Amino acid sequence: MSNPQGRSAISTRPSQLRQKALPTGNIMATRVGLKIPGPLPFDEWEQAGLKIFRIAESSCWCLGDWLLYGKSRYSDRYRKAIEAAGLDYQTLRNYAWVARQFELWRRRENLSFQHHAEVAGLPSEEQDQWLDRAEREGWSRNKLRDQLRASRGDGVERPGPGTAVALPKVSVPHEHIALWRDAALRSGIDFKLWLIKALDEAAASELEFSGDQEQVKSAVT
């Protein structure tokens, strides 16, 4: 039976929690957090954090690979498995998109999943060049992002905040326009404003995945 949020009902009574020992001391991982004995030496606490971080990082790759496999093999049923597990489909799609861009042997263990996500939209040769550089110079994900932006913006004058800029003309099938106009009409919003709102929401969703909260805030405020 599912709860109101659509997740499988799971008892969280302590006696029923599945516990798993981390490979550090007596720290126990449960479905709802860590059981940390006290006092815990600093070295053990630090090592536990590193191991948890590696597990969290690998889960992005593993979930992406899992979705790609399910979509290719069980195209008519994989969405039901996602819903039964209570997973967010859009997040999994993002994980899967990044995983699809990098074969297993091209993934860098010394760089985070987010590092790979930053360059996933580039040609494979450029991906490797940027990841090589990030790995060699010890860049954080934010540093890699800044370097990518700088490489794209050299010599380009950018308008200041609030400056209106004309979008490039895009040819769109008429049935799409009709659908969008109908949606704007039902929302009671001017068609142009509805388009801007829809694009802002789509951009915010993508940037939220990559962790760029500040860019989201600055763009919509």
Side-chain angles (χ1 to χ4, degrees):
M1 182 179 294
S2 298
N3 62 18
Q5 286 72 37
R7 295 181 180 273
S8 301
I10 300 174
S11 171
T12 57
R13 287 178 293 180
S15 61
Q16 293 181 323
L17 290 176
R18 291 185 178 179
Q19 300 181 350
K20 182 177 181 180
L22 286 174
T24 303
N26 296 316
I27 298 177
M28 302 293 294
T30 76
R31 287 181 60 87
V32 293
L34 296 180
K35 293 179 65 176
I36 303 177
L40 188 68
F42 175 82
D43 289 346
E44 284 192 25
W45 171 83
E46 183 180 39
Q47 287 302 312
L50 293 174
K51 289 178 172 63
I52 293 169
F53 176 77
R54 293 190 187 105
I55 292 170
E57 280 293 310
S58 67
S59 69
C60 297
W61 288 118
C62 292
L63 285 170
D65 292 335
W66 175 77
L67 182 61
L68 289 174
Y69 181 87
K71 189 173 182 181
S72 65
R73 188 172 178 85
Y74 309 110
S75 59
D76 57 336
R77 290 180 289 169
Y78 79 102
R79 288 290 291 269
K80 292 181 181 179
I82 293 171
E83 294 170 1
L87 301 171
D88 179 70
Y89 180 60
Q90 183 57 49
T91 299
L92 286 180
R93 281 184 60 189
N94 289 330
Y95 290 167
W97 180 76
V98 176
R100 187 184 292 114
Q101 312 311 310
F102 296 94
E103 300 90 340
L104 199 61
W105 61 270
R106 293 183 58 228
R107 300 173 187 177
R108 316 303 174 88
E109 290 189 6
N110 294 328
L111 297 177
S112 70
F113 179 86
Q114 285 72 28
H115 280 89
H116 293 76
E118 290 295 332
V119 301
L122 300 175
S124 58
E125 183 176 348
E126 292 185 39
Q127 291 172 352
D128 289 334
Q129 291 173 353
W130 281 106
L131 292 178
D132 284 343
R133 191 174 175 190
E135 192 170 24
R136 182 174 62 252
E137 302 189 26
W139 287 347
S140 66
R141 187 278 308 272
N142 287 341
K143 178 66 174 179
L144 173 58
R145 178 184 296 171
D146 290 342
Q147 292 294 324
L148 284 166
R149 287 175 176 170
S151 72
R152 296 165 183 159
D154 289 343
V156 178
E157 183 178 351
R158 298 187 180 278
T163 304
V165 179
L167 286 172
K169 292 183 179 180
V170 180
S171 297
V172 181
H174 69 86
E175 58 267 24
H176 289 257
I177 300 294
L179 180 66
W180 297 342
R181 287 190 182 279
D182 184 50
L185 183 63
R186 296 191 182 193
S187 301
I189 302 175
D190 176 79
F191 181 56
K192 291 182 180 179
L193 293 178
W194 183 90
L195 284 175
I196 294 172
K197 179 175 180 290
L199 289 171
D200 279 345
E201 290 175 351
S205 176
E206 291 298 324
L207 291 172
E208 183 178 6
F209 162 68
S210 65
D212 202 339
Q213 300 293 340
E214 291 305 316
Q215 186 173 350
V216 174
K217 291 178 182 177
S218 63
V220 300
T221 55

